[in-house]
Amino acid sequence: MPSDISTFATPSSERPPSSVPTDWAAVEHWLGLRLPADYKRLADRYGPVDFGEYVWIHVPCVQPDRFDYGEWLRTTHRQARIATRGLPEAERPVFHPEPGGLLAWGCTRGSDVLFWDTSASTDPDRWTVVVQHSGAVPGSGLLRWHRYDLTLTDYLRHTVRDTWELPSPPGPLMGPLPGTVARTAFLPDAEAWIPPAPVPPRLTEAERRIALETGIGSDGLRLLSPPPERPYLGNGSWEGLFAELGTRLPGEYVRLMDGYGAGIWSEWLRFHTPLRVGERRFLTHVEDTADAYRELKDGDADATWYPLAVWPEPGGFLPFANSIDGDYLGWLTEGEDPDTWPLIVWPRHAHQGPPLEGGLIDTLLAWQRGTLVTPGFAALDEDDDPVEFAGFQSWDDRAYW
């Protein structure tokens, strides 16, 4: 069996691969594992590559705002862990950094993810490939996780094929793929990746208990997700906004915004800038959302997906935040007292649910703690640490929202 892909792969002339310096001792110390020699040779010779015009082989590198090797591993392993929840517990693989866990090394244009089985041997050169298929593949029945008795190089070689060299196909392999290696198109300027230094816990054990269990209201929220030093609300005033809307907004919302300002919670929930004047002001977002809802509602024949009235209709939905997935958080403007308006989520990928039971701050706190379960709010996995995912990032006038 070959130990180097150069025996069956040719560099692309349009996007020639190029190496990225790698401190393997530092990378392996950070991982707590030695890595296969064929992978390190591939990385040293080619850098991040698009193999066979289908498989992205990720190596330790970074390109700002596009790719960070450590973050990619963390996110990939978390998503894969969540994807195994439907398997019987005895059949669920574990993922690095768990001992013997699967360790990702690539993915495909078809959203398959490729791993090593680090439990296969104490010798990393004998680690075999495990693929998380995005769907059932020929020869696999309904199986989406498939283990191959092949190392990385052997696996790649068998995707570049005319005939099988084994007595029988070694599983539902991808391909046949062209034997090419090219610089990954979205990483043209990849640079050396430096493993991050260990970060001490953000909260003490006593603070964790308050943030996740005993703290209430704003005190608990501030500990779990600290507010910025200079909240950004825009250049206008609350009275000016209320005059433009023709109504006050709930006092709890005003207090929250005075403390945090506009920004994004947990890299997911975006609060509009309330007091911006001119273009892209609060009313612009409200009207754009209301118009979109009305258009969808007019096309909803059975009125099950879009049952809400829309502001400024009596009791209508008045949005003030949205998610990166297209969900909207707002109030039902029922009654003359805004402090009694119930919160409600317009979910993008689910039927409309009822109003939420709690107020805004309690809702945010429950969501950041991972205890809020409602359509339209991103949920934490049962093994996620809420403190790791909680947080608030402030915006300034350059932000669209």
Side-chain angles (χ1 to χ4, degrees):
M1 294 291 184
S3 60
D4 192 304
I5 67 170
S6 64
T7 61
F8 55 87
T10 304
S12 165
S13 58
E14 295 183 0
R15 296 199 320 273
S18 59
S19 63
V20 174
T22 305
D23 183 342
W24 290 111
V27 170
E28 291 176 328
H29 177 77
W30 180 80
L31 287 169
L33 295 168
R34 290 188 300 116
L35 291 169
D38 60 348
Y39 171 75
K40 290 189 285 187
R41 282 194 296 270
L42 183 156
D44 286 340
R45 181 170 184 174
Y46 299 113
V49 294
D50 180 347
F51 178 86
E53 301 176 6
Y54 192 70
V55 178
W56 289 303
I57 301 175
H58 292 312
V59 304
C61 68
V62 62
Q63 184 164 319
D65 300 323
R66 294 234 181 147
F67 181 81
D68 178 284
Y69 175 72
E71 282 300 307
W72 176 74
L73 282 181
R74 184 182 72 87
T75 301
T76 299
H77 291 166
R78 176 179 181 264
Q79 292 173 342
R81 185 187 75 218
I82 293 172
T84 66
R85 292 295 181 207
L87 297 176
E89 188 169 354
E91 298 178 17
R92 295 177 193 169
V94 296
F95 300 90
H96 184 270
E98 291 293 322
L102 300 185
L103 177 64
W105 56 265
C107 56
T108 75
R109 283 176 167 79
S111 299
D112 313 282
V113 187
L114 302 104
F115 302 85
W116 288 293
D117 181 0
T118 68
S119 70
S121 173
T122 56
D123 179 0
D125 293 334
R126 298 174 65 86
W127 288 350
T128 51
V129 170
V130 177
V131 179
Q132 178 193 6
H133 295 292
S134 61
V137 294
S140 71
L142 297 178
L143 186 65
R144 293 177 184 267
W145 290 84
H146 197 94
R147 295 178 177 271
Y148 297 85
D149 189 22
L150 298 168
T151 63
L152 178 147
T153 299
D154 290 337
Y155 179 87
L156 295 176
R157 184 174 68 87
H158 280 291
T159 68
V160 180
R161 62 179 184 269
D162 293 319
T163 59
W164 296 110
E165 296 184 15
L166 299 178
S168 61
L173 284 168
M174 301 169 196
L177 304 179
T180 58
V181 284
R183 168 53 71 96
T184 301
F186 56 86
L187 297 177
D189 303 312
E191 301 173 351
W193 179 75
I194 300 173
V199 178
R202 179 163 67 87
L203 302 177
T204 66
E205 285 303 312
E207 289 172 333
R208 279 183 65 91
R209 284 194 296 273
I210 296 171
L212 299 179
E213 300 173 20
T214 63
I216 59 174
S218 297
D219 291 339
L221 188 63
R222 282 194 296 267
L223 189 56
L224 191 54
S225 301
E229 291 184 8
R230 296 181 180 86
Y232 177 72
L233 287 83
N235 299 321
S237 67
W238 287 113
E239 291 307 317
L241 174 62
F242 299 163
E244 184 174 38
L245 293 174
T247 179
R248 290 189 303 109
L249 296 179
E252 186 179 32
Y253 168 77
V254 174
R255 291 190 296 274
L256 178 75
M257 298 306 291
D258 282 342
Y260 283 88
I264 185 167
W265 294 79
S266 296
E267 300 182 358
W268 187 81
L269 183 61
R270 303 176 292 205
F271 272 61
H272 302 319
T273 307
L275 306 183
R276 180 186 281 136
V277 296
E279 296 183 2
R280 298 181 290 114
R281 62 194 189 279
F282 185 88
L283 182 59
T284 302
H285 294 301
V286 172
E287 291 177 336
D288 287 348
T289 305
D291 289 344
Y293 193 96
R294 290 190 189 94
E295 183 176 347
L296 292 167
K297 185 173 183 176
D298 290 344
D300 183 17
D302 58 7
T304 58
W305 282 89
Y306 309 101
L308 303 179
V310 183
W311 183 86
E313 300 170 35
F317 176 60
L318 173 57
F320 61 86
N322 65 16
S323 79
I324 62 174
D325 295 319
D327 312 280
Y328 287 82
L329 176 64
W331 302 282
L332 294 181
T333 54
E334 299 172 348
E336 296 182 358
D337 183 1
D339 291 333
T340 66
W341 291 349
L343 284 172
I344 194 165
V345 179
W346 168 26
R348 181 179 179 185
H349 299 294
H351 279 88
Q352 181 62 57
L356 304 179
E357 294 183 359
L360 178 57
I361 291 175
D362 287 343
T363 295
L364 281 175
L365 180 57
W367 172 56
Q368 297 268 281
R369 285 174 168 172
T371 59
L372 177 69
V373 180
T374 189
F377 263 83
L380 294 179
D381 181 60
E382 61 189 59
D383 287 333
D384 287 336
D385 179 2
V387 174
E388 179 184 351
F389 287 87
F392 177 81
Q393 181 180 351
S394 181
W395 285 330
D396 59 25
D397 193 48
R398 293 170 293 182
Y400 173 81
W401 302 103

